Amino acid sequence: MSRKANVEHIAKRKERIIRAAVTAFARTGLKATSMDDIVEESGMSKGAIYWYFKSKDEIISELINTFFDPKEIEKLKQMLANGTARERIDKFIGYMIEQMNMMRRFRPVIQELYVIALRDQKIKKMTKKTFQESVPLLQRIIEDGIKKKEFRKVDAYQVTLALYEIVEGAALFWSLDLMDVDFEKQLRGGMNLILDGIKIQ
């Protein structure tokens, strides 16, 4: 097997394990799920699973890297590079809706990861890094809108946090069925309330 083929083989095997882990975690929760559950869900041998991941914690770490992929930040930067501030924020909203639709069945797992991050510094550091990279990206768009007279002079950082709070709040209601929420309608509506409030008439 060539080096390239071997790398692809390893990637596919690890992806299969991660998919199995997500399915098991979504069904029984992170804490209650055992390595044996993941082995059974994957259809692979226990030895094969342990060859790639020595523990459930290693799988969780890989899972976080999958959910909060740094490549997505670069993709988002390119997507938001051009247009007016409002157009770029609309692209951001579209991106978030697309991501939520893709990740909906995994949202309970992501919510559990947030809870674990409260007491696990390693997971907290990994999740925090994603927000530390994405928040300034949206903040710069707000600042650019202020500079170009699209928006009033406001605290761009506070506006950015408010926009992210709408994303996370709508996602929580939607993914956990806490309320009957149309995620796209709620997200666009909440975002527009803020953006209409700061735009220059």
Short mmCIF file of all heavy atoms in Angstrom, two decimals, residues 100-124:
data_model
loop_
_atom_site.label_atom_id
_atom_site.label_comp_id
_atom_site.label_asym_id
_atom_site.label_seq_id
_atom_site.Cartn_x
_atom_site.Cartn_y
_atom_site.Cartn_z
N MET A 100 -26.06 24.31 10.84
CA MET A 100 -27.03 23.75 11.77
C MET A 100 -27.84 22.63 11.14
O MET A 100 -28.14 21.61 11.78
CB MET A 100 -27.96 24.84 12.30
CG MET A 100 -27.28 25.81 13.24
SD MET A 100 -26.65 24.97 14.72
CE MET A 100 -25.72 26.32 15.46
N ASN A 101 -28.21 22.80 9.89
CA ASN A 101 -28.95 21.74 9.19
C ASN A 101 -28.10 20.48 9.06
O ASN A 101 -28.62 19.36 9.19
CB ASN A 101 -29.39 22.22 7.81
CG ASN A 101 -30.59 23.16 7.87
OD1 ASN A 101 -31.44 23.01 8.74
ND2 ASN A 101 -30.66 24.12 6.97
N MET A 102 -26.81 20.66 8.82
CA MET A 102 -25.91 19.52 8.69
C MET A 102 -25.68 18.82 10.03
O MET A 102 -25.56 17.60 10.11
CB MET A 102 -24.55 19.97 8.13
CG MET A 102 -24.56 20.36 6.66
SD MET A 102 -22.98 21.06 6.13
CE MET A 102 -21.82 19.80 6.60
N MET A 103 -25.65 19.62 11.12
CA MET A 103 -25.24 19.10 12.42
C MET A 103 -26.40 18.84 13.36
O MET A 103 -26.18 18.50 14.52
CB MET A 103 -24.27 20.09 13.07
CG MET A 103 -23.03 20.42 12.26
SD MET A 103 -21.90 19.02 12.18
CE MET A 103 -21.16 19.12 13.81
N ARG A 104 -27.64 19.01 12.90
CA ARG A 104 -28.77 18.95 13.82
C ARG A 104 -28.79 17.69 14.68
O ARG A 104 -28.99 17.75 15.89
CB ARG A 104 -30.09 19.09 13.07
CG ARG A 104 -31.27 19.09 14.05
CD ARG A 104 -32.58 19.38 13.39
NE ARG A 104 -33.62 19.54 14.40
CZ ARG A 104 -34.88 19.87 14.14
NH1 ARG A 104 -35.25 20.09 12.90
NH2 ARG A 104 -35.76 19.99 15.10
N ARG A 105 -28.58 16.54 14.06
CA ARG A 105 -28.69 15.31 14.84
C ARG A 105 -27.54 15.16 15.83
O ARG A 105 -27.59 14.31 16.73
CB ARG A 105 -28.78 14.09 13.93
CG ARG A 105 -27.51 13.69 13.22
CD ARG A 105 -27.81 12.59 12.21
NE ARG A 105 -26.63 12.08 11.55
CZ ARG A 105 -25.95 11.01 11.95
NH1 ARG A 105 -26.35 10.34 13.02
NH2 ARG A 105 -24.89 10.60 11.29
N PHE A 106 -26.49 15.98 15.66
CA PHE A 106 -25.36 15.93 16.59
C PHE A 106 -25.44 16.99 17.68
O PHE A 106 -24.61 17.03 18.57
CB PHE A 106 -24.04 16.11 15.83
CG PHE A 106 -23.81 15.11 14.74
CD1 PHE A 106 -23.20 15.48 13.56
CD2 PHE A 106 -24.21 13.79 14.89
CE1 PHE A 106 -22.99 14.56 12.54
CE2 PHE A 106 -24.00 12.86 13.88
CZ PHE A 106 -23.39 13.25 12.70
N ARG A 107 -26.44 17.91 17.59
CA ARG A 107 -26.50 19.01 18.54
C ARG A 107 -26.56 18.55 19.99
O ARG A 107 -25.90 19.14 20.85
CB ARG A 107 -27.70 19.92 18.24
CG ARG A 107 -27.51 20.86 17.06
CD ARG A 107 -26.38 21.85 17.25
NE ARG A 107 -26.59 22.74 18.37
CZ ARG A 107 -25.78 23.76 18.66
NH1 ARG A 107 -24.72 23.99 17.92
NH2 ARG A 107 -26.01 24.52 19.70
N PRO A 108 -27.32 17.48 20.34
CA PRO A 108 -27.29 17.05 21.74
C PRO A 108 -25.89 16.70 22.23
O PRO A 108 -25.53 16.97 23.38
CB PRO A 108 -28.20 15.81 21.73
CG PRO A 108 -29.14 16.05 20.60
CD PRO A 108 -28.29 16.72 19.54
N VAL A 109 -25.06 16.12 21.33
CA VAL A 109 -23.69 15.80 21.69
C VAL A 109 -22.89 17.07 21.90
O VAL A 109 -22.11 17.19 22.85
CB VAL A 109 -23.03 14.92 20.60
CG1 VAL A 109 -21.59 14.61 20.96
CG2 VAL A 109 -23.82 13.64 20.40
N ILE A 110 -23.08 18.06 21.00
CA ILE A 110 -22.37 19.32 21.13
C ILE A 110 -22.75 20.01 22.43
O ILE A 110 -21.89 20.57 23.13
CB ILE A 110 -22.66 20.23 19.92
CG1 ILE A 110 -22.13 19.58 18.64
CG2 ILE A 110 -22.02 21.61 20.11
CD1 ILE A 110 -22.50 20.33 17.36
N GLN A 111 -24.05 19.99 22.79
CA GLN A 111 -24.48 20.62 24.03
C GLN A 111 -23.81 19.93 25.22
O GLN A 111 -23.41 20.59 26.18
CB GLN A 111 -26.01 20.52 24.17
CG GLN A 111 -26.80 21.26 23.10
CD GLN A 111 -26.52 22.75 23.03
OE1 GLN A 111 -26.60 23.36 21.98
NE2 GLN A 111 -26.19 23.34 24.15
N GLU A 112 -23.67 18.61 25.16
CA GLU A 112 -22.99 17.90 26.24
C GLU A 112 -21.53 18.30 26.33
O GLU A 112 -20.97 18.41 27.42
CB GLU A 112 -23.10 16.38 26.04
CG GLU A 112 -24.40 15.78 26.51
CD GLU A 112 -24.27 14.30 26.81
OE1 GLU A 112 -23.60 13.95 27.81
OE2 GLU A 112 -24.84 13.51 26.05
N LEU A 113 -20.91 18.52 25.18
CA LEU A 113 -19.51 18.95 25.17
C LEU A 113 -19.36 20.30 25.86
O LEU A 113 -18.38 20.54 26.58
CB LEU A 113 -18.99 19.03 23.73
CG LEU A 113 -18.74 17.70 23.02
CD1 LEU A 113 -18.39 17.94 21.55
CD2 LEU A 113 -17.63 16.91 23.71
N TYR A 114 -20.33 21.20 25.66
CA TYR A 114 -20.29 22.49 26.33
C TYR A 114 -20.36 22.31 27.85
O TYR A 114 -19.67 23.00 28.60
CB TYR A 114 -21.46 23.36 25.86
CG TYR A 114 -21.31 23.95 24.48
CD1 TYR A 114 -22.43 24.35 23.75
CD2 TYR A 114 -20.07 24.09 23.89
CE1 TYR A 114 -22.31 24.89 22.48
CE2 TYR A 114 -19.93 24.62 22.62
CZ TYR A 114 -21.06 25.02 21.92
OH TYR A 114 -20.93 25.55 20.66
N VAL A 115 -21.21 21.38 28.30
CA VAL A 115 -21.34 21.13 29.73
C VAL A 115 -20.03 20.57 30.29
O VAL A 115 -19.55 21.00 31.34
CB VAL A 115 -22.51 20.16 30.01
CG1 VAL A 115 -22.53 19.76 31.49
CG2 VAL A 115 -23.84 20.80 29.63
N ILE A 116 -19.45 19.61 29.57
CA ILE A 116 -18.19 19.02 30.01
C ILE A 116 -17.09 20.07 30.06
O ILE A 116 -16.22 20.05 30.94
CB ILE A 116 -17.78 17.86 29.06
CG1 ILE A 116 -18.76 16.69 29.22
CG2 ILE A 116 -16.37 17.38 29.36
CD1 ILE A 116 -18.56 15.59 28.21
N ALA A 117 -17.14 21.04 29.13
CA ALA A 117 -16.12 22.10 29.08
C ALA A 117 -16.10 22.93 30.36
O ALA A 117 -15.07 23.56 30.69
CB ALA A 117 -16.36 23.00 27.88
N LEU A 118 -17.20 22.93 31.10
CA LEU A 118 -17.25 23.69 32.36
C LEU A 118 -16.28 23.13 33.39
O LEU A 118 -15.79 23.87 34.25
CB LEU A 118 -18.67 23.68 32.92
CG LEU A 118 -19.74 24.42 32.11
CD1 LEU A 118 -21.12 24.21 32.73
CD2 LEU A 118 -19.42 25.91 32.05
N ARG A 119 -15.99 21.84 33.29
CA ARG A 119 -15.11 21.22 34.29
C ARG A 119 -13.87 20.57 33.70
O ARG A 119 -13.00 20.11 34.44
CB ARG A 119 -15.90 20.19 35.11
CG ARG A 119 -16.52 19.08 34.30
CD ARG A 119 -17.33 18.14 35.20
NE ARG A 119 -17.90 17.04 34.46
CZ ARG A 119 -19.07 17.08 33.84
NH1 ARG A 119 -19.79 18.19 33.90
NH2 ARG A 119 -19.53 16.02 33.19
N ASP A 120 -13.81 20.51 32.37
CA ASP A 120 -12.64 19.91 31.72
C ASP A 120 -11.89 21.00 30.97
O ASP A 120 -12.35 21.49 29.94
CB ASP A 120 -13.11 18.81 30.76
CG ASP A 120 -11.94 18.01 30.18
OD1 ASP A 120 -10.99 18.64 29.67
OD2 ASP A 120 -11.99 16.77 30.22
N GLN A 121 -10.73 21.37 31.47
CA GLN A 121 -9.98 22.50 30.91
C GLN A 121 -9.50 22.24 29.48
O GLN A 121 -9.41 23.16 28.68
CB GLN A 121 -8.78 22.84 31.81
CG GLN A 121 -9.17 23.45 33.13
CD GLN A 121 -9.97 24.73 32.95
OE1 GLN A 121 -9.57 25.64 32.21
NE2 GLN A 121 -11.11 24.82 33.61
N LYS A 122 -9.19 20.98 29.18
CA LYS A 122 -8.72 20.66 27.83
C LYS A 122 -9.82 20.91 26.81
O LYS A 122 -9.60 21.55 25.77
CB LYS A 122 -8.26 19.21 27.77
CG LYS A 122 -7.72 18.80 26.39
CD LYS A 122 -7.30 17.34 26.39
CE LYS A 122 -6.79 16.93 25.02
NZ LYS A 122 -6.39 15.48 25.00
N ILE A 123 -11.02 20.42 27.10
CA ILE A 123 -12.15 20.61 26.19
C ILE A 123 -12.54 22.08 26.14
O ILE A 123 -12.85 22.62 25.08
CB ILE A 123 -13.34 19.73 26.61
CG1 ILE A 123 -12.97 18.25 26.40
CG2 ILE A 123 -14.59 20.07 25.81
CD1 ILE A 123 -14.04 17.27 26.81
N LYS A 124 -12.50 22.74 27.29
CA LYS A 124 -12.83 24.17 27.34
C LYS A 124 -11.87 24.96 26.45
O LYS A 124 -12.29 25.86 25.72
CB LYS A 124 -12.74 24.68 28.78
CG LYS A 124 -13.11 26.14 28.93
CD LYS A 124 -13.07 26.57 30.39
CE LYS A 124 -13.47 28.02 30.53
NZ LYS A 124 -13.48 28.44 31.96
#
